[in-house]
Amino acid sequence: MPMSAAAATAEAPVPVKPKKSRKLLFILIGLVVFAIIGAAGAFFLLRANTADGEDGAEEETSAVDEHRAPPTFLPLDSMVVNLADAGGNRFAQLGITLQLQDEKTSEDIKVYMPSIRNSILILVSQRTSDELLQIEGKEKLATDIINEISRVMHYTPPAKTGAGPKSKQPPAEPHPVQGVLFSSFLIQ
């Protein structure tokens, strides 16, 4: 009996490739694709986080820079003052520089300079050499000078530290006189 062509192909043994190698190939391709997708995703996430961090840092820095201008320094003329020591034979020679918030404050202080110098001379003349030779005495004098300038110029004095987080007062504006710097301090 003659076989038909269709029956011949159906009965003829067809070479079959092993199924294990085909499955292994698909698994390996799947793992490689998955690894590439995972690496690409991680790269984009890390890059996005780094870009956000840099932009945030730049914005934060520029915001701080806008509010924090470099201080202005105003040197005062040198002062010689008799101290309050017994016998009245001790004196101090002081060189003072004021650290100010800005140039406008410097111009404002220059208008009041005679009153400010007078107040500083009176403050120093009430001190003894023993007080001024101590660090605490110099620091207290600097604080008193700031308070005296505040009084003369009708500024509110700087807020005292230690108000604590429980304080319900709003934060004070920065005081325009930020510091008193001694450029020379001689006691004889």
Side-chain angles (χ1 to χ4, degrees), residues 54-123:
E54 289 173 357
D55 291 343
E58 287 176 11
E59 290 173 7
E60 191 175 302
T61 302
S62 65
V64 170
D65 289 342
E66 288 176 5
H67 297 300
R68 186 185 302 160
T72 300
F73 295 98
L74 177 64
L76 305 181
D77 292 335
S78 192
M79 300 178 196
V80 177
V81 182
N82 287 331
L83 297 176
D85 286 329
N89 57 0
R90 305 288 309 256
F91 66 92
Q93 179 182 1
L94 301 174
I96 297 175
T97 300
L98 301 177
Q99 180 178 343
L100 307 172
Q101 180 177 326
D102 53 24
E103 190 63 36
K104 182 187 178 310
T105 305
S106 176
E107 296 303 317
D108 293 344
I109 283 183
K110 287 177 184 176
V111 173
Y112 289 94
M113 189 55 72
S115 295
I116 290 172
R117 281 184 55 82
N118 179 61
S119 296
I120 292 172
L121 288 170
I122 290 172
L123 278 174

